[in-house]
Amino acid sequence: MIRFQVNGKPASVDADPSTPLLWALRDNLDMTGTKFSCGMALCGACTVHLDGQPIRSCSTPISAVAGKNITTIEGVNADRIGKAVQDAWVVNDVAQCGYCQSGQVMSATALLKRTKKPTDAEIDAAMAGNLCRCGTYTRVRAAIKAAATAIA
Amino acid sequence: MFIEKMLSSNIQSLDAAIDGIALGSAANASRRSFIKMSVGGAAGIAIVPGVALAQGSTAAAPKPGQKPTEQPAAFITIAKDGTTTILCNRMDMGQGIETALAMICAEELDADWSKVNTAFGNQRGNYVDPAMGMHLTGGSNSIKNSYTQYRELGARTRAMLIAAAAKEWKLDATALTAANGVVSGGGKRLGYGQLFDAALKESVPESVVLKDPKSFKIIGKPTSLKVSKEKATGSQKYGIDVKLPGMLTAVVLRPPVFGGKLKSMDASAALKVKGVRAVLPVDLDRGAKGVAVIADGYWPAKLGRDAIKLEWDNAGVAKADNTALLAQYRELAKTAGLQAPGDQYKADLSALANAPKKLSAEFVFPYLNHAQMEPLACTVDLKANACSVYTASQMPGVDAAAIAKATGLSPDQVNIHVQMAGGGFGRRAVPTSEYVIEATNVAKAYAATGKRAPIKVVHSREDDVKAGYYRPFTLHRAEIGYDNEGKIVAWDHKIVSQSILKGSPFEAFLVKAGVDGTTTEGMREPYSIPMQLSVHHPQINVPVLWWRSVGSTHTAFVMETLLDEIAAASNKDPVTYRMGLLADDARGKRHKETLQLAVEKSGYGKKQLASGMHWGVAMHESFESVVAFIVEAGVKDGKPVIGAVTASLHCNFCVNPRTVETQIQGSALMALATTQENHAITLKDGVVQQSNFHDFPMPRITDMPNIAVHIVPSNDPPKGVGEPGLPPFAPALANALRRATGKPLREMPFKLA
Ligand code: FES
Ligand code: FES
């Protein structure tokens, strides 16, 4: 049994310690907001925060998160910045299919928590690992800027 | 083009073809349950018995207002508090159709838009495309074929709500009005929610008067997706998120060569993995045999699969190989193939030999994976006398018929719950129902062990990349003769490409004289050029499929880069040159308006570009919408640099400018991907060489050009936009890069070095 916190609540998972956090969240804890796409830390769809840092949950075994705090897309609105990012995502009509957007929102939130007013280069650096096949990148950038203004 | 071809074709054959799939082994399914219905003068086919059951009638054509696709009760529910749910008869994969159809319906319903939400219908008779007669999301058809349907659904419901209020208040219906979700008149008011139950008891009006578009409040206004918040907060459920009580998860071990068979297996280590329930041989697509690992969740299933030791039997299975394919296709292109049907492809080539100038060109396009971000997933709950399937399918009617055949159930015992899709691009519209039947076979294999559970089959990214159903590997060969003014005197053209539709239920409609229309679509038109076109369709052991914009993924590139080269070689401006090739008819006018808008908005020919940057122009019509791109680009350190991009679009009347803009931008990015290094599927000794995003890479935020989208104003009946934005982007970019380097690009992905 491996124990950790998810969105401020205790969680315990009875699974092989090698199980990626992604599958513990999706299959054991029924939290499907975090998405599976590549399983190899190549696309960012599965991004969550580990003690505030963005990580790829598909490539992070649950053994590595024992006792730690995980924030997922379902809980990121508890944070002022996370809420501002989600609001900006809606106002800017970012999503198309939406499948990559949990990961985009989590990466964007982590960026704004580090850097209140990111430059385009800082947005590029923070978001280049989040793939979007639908091509929402222009609005991802716009929404990050809108959220930055909202939290300023 | 898909729908026109279908409708103009022999409808009997679709009936027969679909009966074939539907009835194949469901021998006791009743032929009577397949009824024909008349659709606005053109015939459509209902492929599911739901139609017959809902109507309780026989083959007599129902009157307007009585068809299953016209029944308000099947599409609209209004709760007491006014919450209005509008069902979508399509699958949504990011194109925003659930919002667009709701807008169209809510407009005529005079609903309170803030109280509208959306849901999906199943594959049955109410939710078939009214022109196609089947639930199909593809061919950029949704708005085109359901615009009037959803307006009428809204208007009929509004009339029924008014009739119910008139009865309640004992007033004449003509004295009442409805607006913003409220019926009022005679000093009284009632919300739609209060009236809805009574309204459903009213008869459905046969004819309704639709609004003058000038008074539209919702249609035509930039509108956010109804599920925008769900998609930003992780609460939107997709097919891969389905969870049913007692559900198990399976992954499938497929042969590395298409059609290979399991020879021997040692599953002992796999069965020891905690959470693995069963390891079972399963029948797969194309006669292959593989192994399903069924477990409590994805991860144990995957660990189990990794632990299987097995041998494959590839006897009698052809092993495709890119090197050999290229040689074979080149050889084929030296000879005339099957004559493409249509007078526009039968030009006299006698002027070619003595033409003042000549251009000879070969183009090569690779196999392409759709790479939708949500890997394929399909949940099957197979019971003794029913099968419920949960998946994001673009053709649930075809899939349901195939499931009926595979399970021996009757089609009305199969129910497909259409899910939101994390992208699709054609991959979820498989004429063979490959991934749905695979999941059904897994459920069958598990049931054969004496146990039953709903089972979700999940593809890993590697499974998805390697599973086949690619945009076909395609080679074009052009021999063009033109004069000193750039006038083309003869154009001899050959295409070598696998047929997507031969052997499928769609063959009868889209394959003519042996030539697959999805291979040739986009050639020559709308330019008046003397072209002779023939096609070779080699049979290769690689499954192929439509991929966003289908044939136009390659034909637009060939046409628009060759014309641009001829213009340049003739010292003609590429815009003027194209304009000169367009006829003065309605089609030519639409093209001219589109190109002209892009010229005006981009500053083409006026604006001074930075040194090293060049203009690139291209235009293409697909699925009845015309799109032009004007791209500013150059080459730096051997890599393309893209500046401002201007797109213009003629889709007739535009229902939701917000999603239309995103479709054009997204299509352009998907086209950009096809030009980028390593974006190709290749095979070696029968085995697909790519597996994930490291070797089949995708554009990132740093690659996204700034794309301004402009829409030509029009009040003509709306056409689709899910695909037409893709074809002209890559040739526009290639044309700019050719100006920068002096060398034409004739291979995808681009090789600039
Ligand atoms: S699923 Fe984790 S990075 Fe792609
Ligand atoms: S919105 Fe579809 S993949 Fe990003």
Side-chain angles (χ1 to χ4, degrees):
Chain A
M1 193 72 81
I2 292 177
R3 290 171 212 283
F4 46 94
Q5 300 259 320
V6 180
N7 300 328
K9 295 197 194 84
S12 57
V13 174
D14 179 17
D16 190 283
S18 76
T19 305
L21 174 60
L22 170 67
W23 295 108
L25 289 169
R26 289 180 57 83
D27 285 351
N28 298 71
L29 301 171
D30 282 346
M31 298 174 72
T32 54
T34 305
K35 296 302 187 211
F36 166 57
S37 186
C38 72
M40 277 180 65
L42 296 167
C43 77
C46 64
T47 306
V48 300
H49 297 173
L50 170 69
D51 291 335
Q53 294 302 311
I55 58 156
R56 307 298 189 221
S57 65
C58 69
S59 307
T60 307
I62 47 173
S63 57
V65 306
K68 307 239 160 98
N69 291 305
I70 303 297
T71 306
T72 72
I73 188 71
E74 289 94 346
V76 75
N77 64 343
D79 176 274
R80 179 176 155 262
I81 294 175
K83 173 86 170 61
V85 170
Q86 287 183 327
D87 289 348
W89 243 246
V90 175
V91 171
N92 286 275
D93 295 323
V94 175
Q96 289 186 42
C97 84
Y99 195 77
C100 71
Q101 298 302 339
S102 295
Q104 306 276 3
V105 165
M106 296 308 287
S107 291
T109 303
L111 165 66
L112 289 175
K113 283 165 94 71
R114 290 194 304 274
T115 311
K116 291 276 172 283
K117 222 178 160 6
T119 62
D120 275 317
E122 285 166 331
I123 293 175
D124 284 350
M127 303 304 294
N130 285 85
L131 299 179
C132 174
R133 184 61 155 163
C134 295
T136 62
Y137 297 128
T138 304
R139 296 185 306 286
V140 165
R141 190 183 298 282
I144 291 174
K145 291 185 175 172
T149 307
I151 57 171
Chain B
M1 303 291 115
F2 190 77
I3 174 76
E4 287 64 32
K5 289 180 195 157
M6 281 210 133
L7 289 178
S8 63
S9 302
N10 178 353
I11 291 297
Q12 252 75 38
S13 334
L14 180 57
D15 203 12
I18 287 173
D19 266 10
I21 357 173
L23 299 179
S25 75
N28 41 11
S30 162
R31 178 68 184 75
R32 270 177 296 121
S33 58
F34 294 81
I35 68 158
K36 252 185 223 151
M37 55 185 186
S38 154
V39 183
I45 301 296
I47 63 160
V48 279
V51 177
L53 297 175
Q55 287 299 115
S57 70
T58 54
K63 292 196 184 101
Q66 296 181 344
K67 286 182 260 172
T69 53
E70 296 175 342
Q71 297 297 317
F75 290 87
I76 299 165
T77 51
I78 308 178
K80 288 275 175 290
D81 66 357
T83 302
T84 302
T85 304
I86 299 174
L87 259 71
C88 175
N89 63 359
R90 309 283 160 161
M91 185 265 250
D92 198 309
M93 48 192 139
Q95 80 277 40
I97 191 64
E98 41 82 41
T99 296
L101 291 177
M103 288 167 69
I104 294 165
C105 182
E107 176 72 59
E108 299 283 353
L109 176 59
D110 274 314
D112 175 352
W113 181 245
S114 70
K115 290 187 177 167
V116 171
N117 58 35
T118 58
F120 296 110
N122 60 18
Q123 89 281 11
R124 293 172 189 245
N126 293 114
Y127 309 110
V128 300
D129 177 318
M132 298 277 295
M134 67 162 96
H135 188 310
L136 190 148
T137 313
S140 298
N141 277 326
S142 306
I143 290 289
K144 188 176 71 176
N145 293 349
S146 282
Y147 180 66
T148 304
Q149 178 196 9
Y150 271 72
R151 288 182 72 187
E152 288 182 352
L153 281 166
R156 289 199 165 101
T157 310
R158 182 182 186 274
M160 289 158 74
L161 288 160
I162 289 178
K167 234 177 229 166
E168 168 88 20
W169 298 332
K170 300 197 174 47
L171 289 170
D172 196 279
T174 54
L176 307 183
T177 57
N180 214 29
V182 176
V183 180
S184 53
K188 298 184 204 287
R189 289 168 59 85
L190 267 180
Y192 283 3
Q194 303 299 314
L195 288 164
F196 188 65
D197 289 347
L200 284 184
K201 298 194 183 92
E202 296 294 324
S203 60
V204 180
E206 285 196 9
S207 63
V208 276
V209 178
L210 300 178
K211 287 183 181 177
D212 179 343
K214 285 195 201 79
S215 65
F216 283 168
K217 295 189 190 73
I218 302 171
I219 302 178
K221 308 285 179 290
T223 304
S224 300
L225 297 187
K226 273 291 171 190
V227 288
S228 199
K229 180 153 185 222
E230 286 79 352
K231 288 179 171 180
T233 57
S235 65
Q236 173 67 54
K237 297 275 189 236
Y238 298 84
I240 203 170
D241 300 327
V242 166
K243 184 139 191 182
L244 302 174
M247 186 185 82
L248 300 173
T249 302
V251 297
V252 174
L253 185 50
R254 298 171 188 85
V257 181
F258 297 110
K261 289 185 179 61
L262 175 68
K263 188 178 184 182
S264 62
M265 154 171 80
D266 174 1
S268 53
L271 285 163
K272 284 196 195 109
V273 172
K274 193 178 150 199
V276 170
R277 303 282 189 106
V279 179
L280 303 170
V282 280
D283 291 333
L284 303 175
D285 190 37
R286 298 168 88 83
K289 212 175 207 19
V291 184
V293 182
I294 302 167
D296 292 341
Y298 176 84
W299 194 249
K302 187 213 175 271
L303 289 181
R305 181 169 72 172
D306 291 348
I308 294 174
K309 292 195 192 71
L310 52 59
E311 272 185 273
W312 296 106
D313 175 7
N314 290 326
V317 176
K319 294 179 175 169
D321 193 294
N322 265 74
T323 314
L325 278 185
L326 182 59
Q328 180 192 351
Y329 280 34
R330 279 196 172 133
E331 211 41 49
L332 283 170
K334 287 182 184 158
T335 61
L338 298 163
Q339 172 65 48
D343 290 344
Q344 74 275 31
Y345 298 135
K346 292 178 185 158
D348 172 5
L349 294 178
S350 55
L352 188 54
N354 295 319
K357 286 178 167 179
K358 281 187 194 162
L359 174 56
S360 171
E362 176 194 273
F363 291 80
V364 182
F365 302 87
Y367 288 115
L368 287 177
N369 175 226
H370 300 72
Q372 71 292 343
M373 286 298 282
E374 179 197 9
L376 295 174
C378 180
T379 304
V380 177
D381 188 4
L382 178 63
K383 303 234 163 69
N385 53 6
C387 187
S388 296
V389 177
Y390 303 77
T391 192
S393 168
Q394 292 175 239
M395 299 199 303
V398 167
D399 291 340
I403 292 165
K405 184 177 171 187
T407 55
L409 294 170
S410 69
D412 58 333
Q413 290 174 308
V414 178
N415 196 6
I416 301 197
H417 303 262
V418 178
Q419 305 293 307
M420 179 70 79
F425 316 119
R427 182 62 178 96
R428 302 176 192 274
V430 193
T432 61
S433 297
E434 153 255 349
Y435 70 93
V436 174
I437 288 306
E438 184 185 272
T440 305
N441 288 346
V442 172
K444 269 173 66 182
Y446 192 63
T449 66
K451 298 180 204 129
R452 278 193 196 271
I455 300 177
K456 175 164 68 179
V457 174
V458 176
H459 283 227
S460 67
R461 174 59 51 192
E462 289 79 5
D463 296 337
D464 217 282
V465 169
K466 290 183 178 292
Y469 290 93
Y470 306 123
R471 192 283 303 273
F473 176 75
T474 301
L475 185 137
H476 283 244
R477 166 113 232 131
E479 306 291 340
I480 306 168
Y482 58 101
D483 69 14
N484 292 323
E485 292 303 303
K487 182 177 163 27
I488 294 163
V489 295
W491 183 325
D492 185 14
H493 201 95
K494 298 180 186 80
I495 307 177
V496 188
S497 188
Q498 284 169 260
S499 167
I500 294 173
L501 294 171
K502 275 192 184 174
S504 84
F506 299 96
E507 174 165 354
F509 312 94
L510 295 171
V511 181
K512 290 273 152 61
V515 174
D516 188 329
T518 67
T519 305
T520 55
E521 63 185 354
M523 285 305 294
R524 182 188 177 276
E525 301 300 289
Y527 304 118
S528 21
I529 292 168
M531 178 182 284
Q532 158 62 42
L533 175 64
S534 74
V535 177
H536 293 273
H537 285 312
Q539 296 209 6
I540 308 293
N541 184 25
V542 178
V544 291
L545 188 60
W546 25 52
W547 187 102
R548 198 178 194 175
S549 81
V550 199
S552 292
T553 56
H554 47 91
T555 58
F557 190 83
V558 168
M559 289 302 305
E560 289 296 301
T561 55
L562 286 175
L563 288 181
D564 213 79
E565 267 189 68
I566 295 168
S570 313
N571 293 318
K572 301 267 190 227
D573 172 82
V575 170
T576 319
Y577 184 75
R578 282 175 177 78
M579 292 288 195
L581 288 175
L582 293 167
D584 276 329
D585 55 9
R587 191 177 193 185
K589 182 167 168 277
R590 260 177 119 220
H591 281 78
K592 285 177 191 167
E593 284 174 3
T594 310
L595 187 52
Q596 191 52 38
L597 184 63
V599 165
E600 282 161 19
K601 297 291 181 180
S602 63
Y604 175 84
K606 295 209 173 100
K607 193 170 95 178
Q608 187 67 39
L609 295 184
S611 111
M613 296 296 272
H614 299 265
W615 295 106
V617 179
M619 167 170 58
H620 188 74
E621 176 182 9
S622 57
F623 308 95
E624 294 181 67
S625 290
V626 185
V627 177
F629 275 100
I630 297 187
V631 172
E632 301 170 22
V635 177
K636 198 174 170 214
D637 303 330
K639 297 230 181 320
V641 180
I642 304 177
V645 176
T646 307
S648 60
L649 162 73
H650 201 318
C651 61
N652 292 359
F653 183 69
C654 173
V655 171
N656 186 357
R658 191 62 171 136
T659 44
V660 165
E661 177 185 43
T662 65
Q663 283 303 298
I664 301 300
Q665 291 172 336
S667 296
L669 191 74
M670 200 157 168
L672 177 62
T674 66
T675 72
Q676 291 185 324
E677 207 176 346
N678 295 328
H679 196 82
I681 294 290
T682 56
L683 293 103
K684 196 161 189 270
D685 209 17
V687 179
V688 174
Q689 298 298 289
Q690 292 71 26
S691 63
N692 205 318
F693 298 135
H694 61 291
D695 50 15
F696 188 71
M698 302 232 271
R700 299 170 184 277
I701 192 169
T702 42
D703 297 308
M704 184 81 204
N706 197 349
I707 304 172
V709 180
H710 304 277
I711 301 169
V712 179
S714 164
N715 283 322
D716 292 327
K719 305 292 183 187
V721 293
E723 299 171 89
L726 196 141
F729 178 81
L733 175 59
N735 290 337
L737 298 178
R738 192 199 69 239
R739 289 198 174 80
T741 63
K743 291 199 196 75
L745 291 161
R746 292 178 184 157
E747 191 179 352
M748 297 261 226
F750 290 171
K751 290 204 174 55
L752 276 172

